[in-house]
Amino acid sequence: MVIYIIALAIFFHLHISRAITRLTASFQYFLAGDLSAPIYDLKRNDEIGVLATAADRFRVLSQDLTQAKKTAEHTTKVKSEFLANMSHEIRTPMNGILGMARQLGRTKLTHEQMKMLNIIQSSGTGLLVIINDILDISKIEASKIELAPIPIHLNSLLDELKHLFAEQAKSKHIKLHISVADELLHCIFLADETRLKQVLINLLGNAIKFTEKGSVTLNVKINELGSDNLSIKFSVIDTGIGIAKENLGKLFEAFSQADTSITRRFGGTGLGLAISSKLLNLMDAPLQVKSEVGQGSRFYFELKTTQVIEQSEFEVVNKQETEEKQLDFSSLNVLVVEDNDINQVVIEAMLNEFGISSIKIAGDGEQAVALCKEHSEENNLQNNFDIIFMDMQMPVLDGPQATICIRKMPAYKDTPIIALTANVLEADKRRCFAAGMNDFVAKPIDYQCVKTALLKWCENECHK
């Protein structure tokens, strides 16, 4: 009996316990990331063989997942690089088109010429919207969008939306209504103004586009939740073509429209609602819809926010206007670093609009560094550049590298350097700031953005 027990123990140790120990060791290697560890007992026909086969299958799946992860990371990197390059390649000529169209609009034109110019500007702006939509959906999918809440004046927001769409609605003989209680108009609340406005513009634009007759209404209701907390419900209601129930499910999918015939009839990329829905999800205010074919649609969301007490809008505007009137940009000494000839003309003309005449142009980063060095060696602070507008992608020496070199010069340690570029991805912005740049203005160059940069960074030099 004792011999039988000893023999059984030896058998258990040699055939079962040791096998389990080997399998455990293999799994520990796998979990540590080493998938090259050997697996024993694969040919056994008992339970140990089943476990060994499972371990082998686990290794194969892990190898497949690791490879898939690497492929996905590579694809994401290629996609980001492609978007960055496409953004740059499209925005650079777009800057020339819209910039020169703006300058042409400041000359004396006939009524017919002005009409054609408006079409050029409208078409260019429309193309820019599509570019921004594609970049937005990519940034949202990569979780690279961060909300920036600021105080928003409800009255100002609604007034801007009304003016933005009034002419469009009028041209289609559609009534546009903004419905909100008078006592709520002066409400000021916290939210990301740019993104909230982007959502409302998309919803109102769609409502007008898909409405042939009747009306489009933006309805705003505010409920106090106690203390300073608010719940603001935005509803966009139209009497348009409506949406079939079977199409509601795919309404918020990227590059999708409820009906393919809609694309041919009304145009559009099918990105607007997908972007709006994803942005509202970031705000914890999911976009919802109710619709009936032939009767119209109602898109709505409820934004939970906080009410703030601030200066009246009139006081803020007056203060800004007063400050701007006291500033004179004509004494500024500006360096523009840009390799594209057309963009050089555009930015120089725009700076001329601010009364700036002392402008030096550098065709690449190396030339910019040489000019800064030349001016600083003259030992006359008045000859130093007051502000530098720097492109990012340039031959010889790019913007970030040039900025690093310029920052090493004592005379330009604190000089504002503004990135002026077609690269608008977050990674590009981080690279600019890491190099020592102070701000970022995207191409196509917007007059108001340049004005904001000058006001922000040259205030001390511009007081009369």
Side-chain angles (χ1 to χ4, degrees), residues 94-114:
M94 280 300 299
N95 183 59
I97 294 168
L98 292 177
M100 295 313 295
R102 174 182 170 79
Q103 296 308 316
L104 184 60
R106 299 179 71 238
T107 63
K108 190 175 181 180
L109 300 173
T110 66
H111 175 73
E112 191 64 27
Q113 287 171 331
M114 183 58 74

Side-chain angles (χ1 to χ4, degrees), residues 21 103 112 205 285 288 294 326 352 437:
T21 300
Q103 296 308 316
E112 191 64 27
Q288 300 180 68
Q326 292 174 345
N352 288 157
M437 296 186 188

Side-chain angles (χ1 to χ4, degrees), residues 384-388 403 406-418 436-438 457-458 460-461:
N384 287 342
F385 296 112
D386 299 305
I387 188 169
I388 300 171
T403 299
I406 292 169
R407 286 293 185 220
K408 292 177 181 177
M409 303 178 196
Y412 291 99
K413 186 177 179 182
D414 299 313
T415 302
I417 301 179
I418 314 300
M437 296 186 188
N438 301 90
W457 297 104
C458 299
N460 293 335
E461 289 80 8

Side-chain angles (χ1 to χ4, degrees), residues 428-441:
D428 300 317
K429 293 182 181 181
R430 286 195 296 270
R431 188 174 173 226
C432 287
F433 294 137
M437 296 186 188
N438 301 90
D439 214 336
F440 194 96
V441 175

Side-chain angles (χ1 to χ4, degrees), residues 382-395:
Q382 290 184 344
N383 288 328
N384 287 342
F385 296 112
D386 299 305
I387 188 169
I388 300 171
F389 288 98
M390 180 80 70
D391 190 20
M392 238 182 116
Q393 286 189 358
M394 293 180 291

